[in-house]
Amino acid sequence: MSLARFFTRYRRSQRGATAVTVALFMTVMIGLCGFTIDVGHVAWVQRELQSASDAAALAGAAQINCCSTTSAASTATAYSAVAGKNNAISGVTATMVSGYPKLKCFTSTGIACTFGTGVDSANGIQVKESASVPMWFSAIFGITAIPVTSTSTASVGGYGSTSSGTLVKSLDIEVVLDTTQSMNSSDSSCGSGETRLSCAEEGVQTLLKALSYTSDQVGLMVFPGVTSSTAVKDYNCSGNSPTAQTYSSSTNYSVLGLGNTFKTSSSGQSLSTSSTVVRAIGAGKTAAGGSCPGMSAPGGEGTYYAGAVNAAQTNLANNGRSGVQKIIILLSDGDANANSGSQISSGLSNNQCTQAVTAASNATSAGTEVYTIAYGADTSTSGSCSTDHGSYSACSALKAMASSPKYFFSDTQSGSSSCTSSVTGNTSSSLSTVWQNLAAQFTPPRLVPDTTS
C-alpha cells in the first residue's frame, strides 16, 4: 500500500467520529433545554400556588367572625388551589397542609379578636398549601417531581362585614369632636406644643387616610354647637373661632356635611389640602404658608354630647346614602355636665350622661354603629356625670354609648386615667395610637407578613 493511499483511508475513517460528537452534543442540549423548561414550569406553578394562597387568605379573612366557627376556614379552602376548588391549578395536584387554614389572633394590628356574630376569636388567618410539580424532561435524569409550598397570611378587614354578615363596601361617617375649653390643654404624648384638640384632629387625619374617597363619605360635627353662619371659621383658614351656642333643641352641631373631598386618589394616603374637611382637621397647616390651623375650641358652654349624637344620627338618616353602613365616631375628654340655665336649656339639664347613652342606643337600633373615644375620662361616679346622681361616670357613659365593646376606645392620658377598654388594643396612653387602632377597624382584609404576631 502506498503512503498516499494509507492517509486517504485514515481520513475517511474519521467521518463517523463527527456524527457521534454531534449526537452527544445534541443529547446534552436537549437535556438542558428540557431542564430549563421544567424549571420554568416549577416557577410558574409556584407563582400560581402563591396567588391561590393569597386569594384564599383574603377570602377567609373577610369571613372571620361574621357567620360561624367554620366559615372563615371553609371559605379559605374554597378559594385555594386544592383540586376542585376555585383556584385549582391545571395538571398539578395541590393540597392544604395539615392544620391549615389556621385562625390567628394578632396583637399588633389594632383589631379586636372578638366581634361580629361569630365566635372565631380571631382577627387573621394563615393558609399554607403544597404541591408536587411533575417533571417532563428531567425524569431522564431521575428527577420525577419537585415539591413547592406557599404561605399567605391575611388580617381581617376592620369593616369587612356588618353584624348580619353582609359585606360592607361603603361607609357614611359622622365624626363628632369635643371642642370644649379643656381641649385647649396640652397633650405632650402627641408632641411638643400639641393641644388635645390638635391631637384629636391629627387622629381624624389618620382615619381619613385609611378611608377610600371613592366609596366613603365623612361629615364633621362639634360640641358645643356653633352658629351656622360662623361654622365656616373652622375651615376657612382665617384663624378665627366660630361662635359657640348654648345647648338646646335647636343647636347647630354641624361644621361640614357628608362629603368625599378628603382625597383625590383612591390609592395612597395623601389628603387633599384644598378640601374643607381636611383643612378643618388641621392637615392644611403646611398649606398656604401654615395659615390653616384647623378648628378651634371656643368652649364656654360646658359639655353635653347627647344633642350632637342625635344630630349626627339625623343627618346620617336624612343625607346618608341608601344601603351604606352609617357610623358615628365621638371623642370627648370630659363628662356631660353643662350648667342649667346658663349653658343648657332646663329641659335638657338633668341626666345628661343618661341622655347620651339613650341617644347612642337609638342610633344603634337604627343600624348605625357608634364608636366612642374616652380621652382621659373620669371613672368616678361621684366626680363625673353629676347630673345623673351616680348612675354613670364619664368613662362608663362613653363605654355604654358604644354599639359594641370593640367600638369603645380609651386614652389613659399617660396613666392619669384608669378608664380602659375590655378589648385588647383599644386602650393606649397616646391618643395617636388610639386613632391608629381605630382607623384599622375601617380597612379591608389585607395580606400581612407571615411573621405578624
Side-chain angles (χ1 to χ4, degrees), residues 41-42 44-46 48-49 81-84 87-95 130-134 136 146 148:
H41 183 226
V42 171
W44 177 81
V45 171
Q46 176 68 68
E48 291 295 300
L49 191 67
V82 173
N87 289 299
I89 304 171
S90 178
V92 176
T93 301
T95 59
S130 64
S132 181
V133 185
W136 296 327
I146 295 291
V148 294

Side-chain angles (χ1 to χ4, degrees), residues 297-320:
E301 302 298 336
T303 303
Y304 173 78
Y305 30 76
V309 173
N310 285 327
Q313 175 58 27
T314 297
N315 189 50
L316 287 170
N318 293 342
N319 301 312

Side-chain angles (χ1 to χ4, degrees), residues 142-179:
I143 305 174
T144 58
I146 295 291
V148 294
T149 61
S150 63
T151 303
S152 297
T153 307
S155 171
V156 67
Y159 234 89
S161 61
T162 64
S163 58
S164 64
T166 304
L167 291 181
V168 173
K169 295 183 179 180
S170 302
L171 303 171
D172 283 342
I173 302 175
E174 282 286 358
V175 176
V176 184
L177 294 182
D178 188 335
T179 54

Side-chain angles (χ1 to χ4, degrees), residues 187-367:
D187 184 351
S188 59
S189 70
C190 285
S192 176
E194 295 277 8
T195 66
R196 291 188 177 192
L197 180 57
S198 64
C199 191
E201 290 173 347
E202 289 170 7
V204 182
Q205 294 175 36
T206 299
L207 172 68
L208 295 186
K209 290 175 182 178
L211 300 177
S212 168
Y213 88 101
T214 59
S215 60
D216 302 327
Q217 292 192 147
V218 177
L220 185 61
M221 291 189 169
V222 295
F223 60 91
V226 294
T227 59
S228 300
S229 61
T230 63
V232 64
K233 295 180 179 180
D234 267 338
Y235 57 85
N236 69 355
C237 306
S238 66
N240 298 318
S241 299
T243 302
Q245 290 183 299
T246 57
Y247 297 104
S248 70
S249 58
S250 60
T251 298
N252 171 65
Y253 297 97
S254 179
V255 173
L256 288 163
L258 293 168
N260 66 343
T261 62
F262 52 90
K263 282 184 182 179
T264 57
S265 172
S266 57
S267 61
Q269 294 190 327
S270 297
L271 300 178
S272 172
T273 54
S274 64
S275 164
T276 51
V277 68
V278 172
R279 292 191 169 196
I281 58 171
K285 287 180 181 178
T286 57
S291 61
C292 296
M295 295 186 298
S296 58
E301 302 298 336
T303 303
Y304 173 78
Y305 30 76
V309 173
N310 285 327
Q313 175 58 27
T314 297
N315 189 50
L316 287 170
N318 293 342
N319 301 312
R321 294 165 293 172
S322 176
V324 171
Q325 179 62 51
K326 311 300 190 295
I327 306 286
I328 294 174
I329 302 174
L330 180 143
L331 176 147
S332 179
D333 72 338
D335 61 291
N337 59 0
N339 293 329
S340 178
S342 60
Q343 298 176 340
I344 189 170
S345 61
S346 58
L348 300 174
S349 61
N350 292 324
N351 298 313
Q352 293 178 33
C353 287
T354 300
Q355 289 180 54
V357 173
T358 300
S361 176
N362 290 338
T364 299
S365 296

